[in-house]
Amino acid sequence: MIERPDYSLKKRYAPPAIKLILLIAVILGFYFRSCWYDRLDLYFDINQVYLDNQTLSSVDVLFVIRNNTQMDRKESIFIKLYTDRGDELASRLTSVEIPARSQRRYRKMVENWERALYSDEELSHATVEIYKPKFF
């Protein structure tokens, strides 16, 4: 004779000790993640930011990133474009692959400006930084 398994709707509860261990693991995960993002400025050095090939609706941003770590990384980069009045004209979030212990030059096009330049206005500079997501 074949016995059927018991499919009753009995609730099974996790012991409080397991819940506590999981809660501690989640808190430690958030803590280590925030420590990694706080130290990103030491791991990657961004310099030599230039503007090139400006048109009416786009500009190329050239920059150099140096990876000081032993890991190949794919990092998100946040580029902001400013006018000579100090207004932010455009921004772009993109990603770059950075080999371990290397220095690479990148060119990214920034388009979709928030507004057109005024007649007496020019592009001043751009800032390039590693994107740090904010989650708490």
Side-chain angles (χ1 to χ4, degrees):
M1 180 185 269
I2 299 173
E3 287 189 29
R4 291 185 159 187
D6 184 20
Y7 288 119
S8 63
L9 299 174
K10 294 181 184 176
K11 291 186 178 180
R12 296 191 175 127
Y13 294 100
I18 298 295
K19 291 179 185 178
L20 181 64
I21 290 172
L22 288 175
L23 179 65
I24 291 172
V26 167
I27 291 171
L28 284 175
F30 282 128
Y31 174 73
F32 288 134
R33 179 179 174 267
S34 68
C35 288
W36 168 258
Y37 283 122
D38 288 342
R39 301 203 33 110
L40 274 180
D41 296 332
L42 299 175
Y43 299 147
F44 303 104
D45 183 29
I46 301 173
N47 53 26
Q48 299 177 12
V49 180
Y50 299 110
L51 300 178
D52 192 27
N53 295 336
Q54 179 180 349
T55 64
L56 292 176
S57 63
S58 69
V59 68
D60 289 343
V61 178
L62 289 91
F63 55 95
V64 175
I65 298 181
R66 178 180 172 85
N67 184 354
N68 297 322
T69 66
Q70 301 286 342
M71 303 176 287
D72 293 343
R73 298 285 302 172
K74 183 175 183 179
E75 289 293 330
S76 296
I77 303 295
F78 194 56
I79 302 171
K80 292 182 184 178
L81 188 62
Y82 293 95
T83 64
D84 55 0
R85 294 182 180 181
D87 299 334
E88 182 181 327
L89 187 62
S91 62
R92 178 179 180 195
L93 184 63
T94 185
S95 64
V96 294
E97 292 189 17
I98 312 167
R101 293 283 179 194
S102 68
Q103 181 171 328
R104 287 254 172 113
R105 178 177 295 276
Y106 297 92
R107 175 186 296 259
K108 297 294 180 179
M109 180 184 288
V110 179
E111 49 192 5
N112 299 331
W113 294 0
E114 292 180 12
R115 61 173 175 83
L117 289 173
Y118 298 131
S119 60
D120 61 340
E121 192 174 38
E122 294 181 4
L123 291 178
S124 170
H125 66 282
T127 60
V128 180
E129 58 189 30
I130 301 290
Y131 178 67
K132 298 174 186 173
K134 300 200 173 30
F135 184 71
F136 284 123

